[in-house]
Amino acid sequence: MSADTMISAKLLKIFQLHRKSLFVLLAFIVYYLTARLGLEVATINKQASPIWPATGVAISLIIFFGPRMAIGIFAGAFLSNYQTGLNIPASIAISIGNTLESLFFVLAFTRATSKNLFDVHNKAILGIFILILSAGISASVGTIVLWITSVIPPTMILKNWITWWAGNFLGALFIVPVAYKFKLQKFDSYKLANYQILKFLLVAGLVVVINNFIFASEPSLIYLQIFLVIILSSVQGLKVKAQKIAEEITKELREQKRNWKALTETSPVGIFLTDRSGNCTYVNPAWTKMTGLLSKDAFQQGWTQALHPDDMQLVIKKWNMLVSGETFSCDYRYIKPDGSVVYVTGQALPLRDDKQEVTGYFGTVQNITELYLNQIAVATSSRMSSLGQMASGIAHEINNPLTIIQGKALYLEKIIDPTGKVDFEKAKITIDQINTTIQRIAKIIKGLQSFSRDTSEEPFQKSQIKDAIEIALELCRERFFKNDTRLILPKVTTSNLMFLGSPEQISQVLLNLLNNAFDATKAQAEKWVKIEIEVNRNENRLLVFVSDSGVGVPPQIQTKIFEPFFTTKEVGSGTGLGLSISKGIMDNHKGRLFVDSSKPHTTFAIELPLLQEQSSEVSA
Amino acid sequence: MKKNIKILLVEDEKLIRELVKDFLESDGFKVFEAGNGRDAFDLIKTNKFDLVISDVKMPGGDGIELAKNIQMLDGEKPIVIFITGFGDITEPEALEFGVVKIISKPFLPDDLVNFIKGLITSVQIRVSLDSFH
């Protein structure tokens, strides 16, 4: 260890031991210098200064280093006062006043704010109030001492007090908040401190000028100092309030920014922002993942390169519609750099400022590739399964008559061939039977045609409900019969019940309901399906009910059954499309398809506008 | 010999029944008719048949039910064959309840008759071989 380091170590030890005393000494020096500075501008007499930064400095010292600093402050105050020519007792008294002032402020303020009852703004108001009181202590002690020692005449008491009080108050007003900020927050306050000191110097200069040139020439105006105090303190208060609001707004903004970030960065949905002219300014990770582009590649017009070439036109068209005030909502495709296609559904809306001016656009993009492919698979499989169902149905319906025709033809051949003699009676019967059976097949084929033909574009015509029911029954009667499901048909003659529409389409709906009813009764001991017709002549409505002996539709799925792809049947046997398509057909006919829960059995009803019949033949 | 062969024809389609019956009878078989499975089984319980030709889907008791009931009979059982529409049942499935053959519609009555003749012959050969043993 060298001598130097030994010395510095020793010094450090001394410093540590006498640290507190050193601070007291420091307080003495600082206070003394500040007080001398204040006294330089004393206006009323040598002691009362209209600007007294020493009060602020004293309070700051106590805030930072504790009440112990009061010793230094007292010493500084004493020395500076004594040098103005006061005697020792008077200097001591005034110094006590100065010291008490600072101690009082710090203790009162710390105590009042210890319970965190006040926000920043209220704390500032409280601080100003306490400062008014503490400056009063110093001013009162000082003025009394000066009066007793006859430094001032009784006439000057009030003016002296006001100047003293105002000087101390203003001196603290701009310094104490800085000290508190330093103490409470570890923030970049040097700039703020500089600014505050500058402001203090400015105010101090102003006060000195006003006092020297206005109050000095016209002492009665000295009371105006009070207004100066009020104005300056309210400025300080307002500033705190503005700061508080600004801080709150900043806090809120920061929080919103954090939330936005968390939301967009974790969202599985692609999110983008553009400016007013559609130049992209932001895309979230989900978007970049979806498109395979980097976010910087998406900026400006870069996002358009993610669009599938075939959908480019569509998206641009929709985007232009959005710009002209319509909503943007469409399904389109992205193509990734690796060539894979992503199906998405996108929404966008304009962002507006307070004046309702569009500032940009916000959009979301959801990847629906899986859903889309699933739907295609379901649609294909349901088409296949309904095709299979239909094929087996047709085969069933046609194989029996074919067997008959084939057999009968063979029979004819036999009764004609061997002898040359023909039993015309037998031959006639057989030929008739063949013809009837051929007609039976023709009827089935006709029924099928009405299904395969796309009738959706055909104009509606006056039709009989009877025909629609007949077509539907033709394609399912056999199935019901063979499975022992009783078909209960309407007793009312329906020949005169007309509607405007397509009997083929209505029969599709009915066939669908009948097939559902058939499936519902399959596992039941008692199997029946009933068709009923009801006419509401008052409202001109025609109702056809299809009910069955099945277990019924559970209430919780009653609203779902009309949704596309909803099915309760086992995989492969139902398409889940029947009722939704049927509902569409009924809507086209200005009619309704609904579950009539007022009936005791499962009852589906179709309702059509009744066309007024020409003839009045009604039979029941 | 054929006169002794008693066949029960079960089919709900009357014209098919008539047709097949005509052809079988002209070949010397004795044919009885039933419109559905239940009626057929009632007949089987009181009469002895060598062969049952049955449709599969019929109202009032289908062919499968009938075949199962026949399988559960004690003593000598008639041979059962199905005449059927489209994919109602596969042959391995049918075999499980003793149905030896499925003839798909549409069929020529001659083909059916020929098949039955062959079937009867093979059964008779087997029967006589058994008795020879």
Side-chain angles (χ1 to χ4, degrees), chain B residues 37-52:
Chain B
R38 261 164 252 160
D39 292 352
F41 195 61
D42 287 344
L43 282 171
I44 289 167
K45 280 190 282 190
T46 49
N47 297 280
K48 188 191 163 291
F49 295 103
D50 299 292
L51 176 69
V52 174

Side-chain angles (χ1 to χ4, degrees), chain B residues 21-80:
Chain B
K21 193 185 173 203
D22 269 0
F23 275 81
L24 285 170
E25 278 181 349
S26 68
D27 255 282
F29 292 103
K30 196 152 178 56
V31 181
F32 297 83
E33 291 173 64
N36 63 54
R38 261 164 252 160
D39 292 352
F41 195 61
D42 287 344
L43 282 171
I44 289 167
K45 280 190 282 190
T46 49
N47 297 280
K48 188 191 163 291
F49 295 103
D50 299 292
L51 176 69
V52 174
I53 302 169
S54 175
D55 190 8
V56 179
K57 285 222 158 164
M58 288 171 293
D62 62 23
I64 293 166
E65 196 186 313
L66 176 65
K68 282 178 180 166
N69 285 334
I70 291 172
Q71 216 182 10
M72 284 190 289
L73 283 174
D74 295 325
E76 224 178 302
K77 297 163 200 172
I79 299 168
V80 181

Side-chain angles (χ1 to χ4, degrees), chain A residues 23-25 27-29 31-32 68-77:
Chain A
F23 276 119
V24 173
L25 186 68
F28 160 72
I29 294 166
Y31 189 88
Y32 171 73
R68 191 188 297 267
M69 296 303 111
I71 303 164
I73 292 162
F74 173 77

Side-chain angles (χ1 to χ4, degrees), chain A residues 172-192:
Chain A
L173 189 64
F174 292 90
I175 294 174
V176 173
V178 181
Y180 262 100
K181 287 223 159 165
F182 268 115
K183 171 92 177 159
L184 295 175
Q185 289 165 296
K186 310 254 179 275
F187 70 117
D188 174 30
S189 44
Y190 292 98
K191 234 161 71 187
L192 184 84

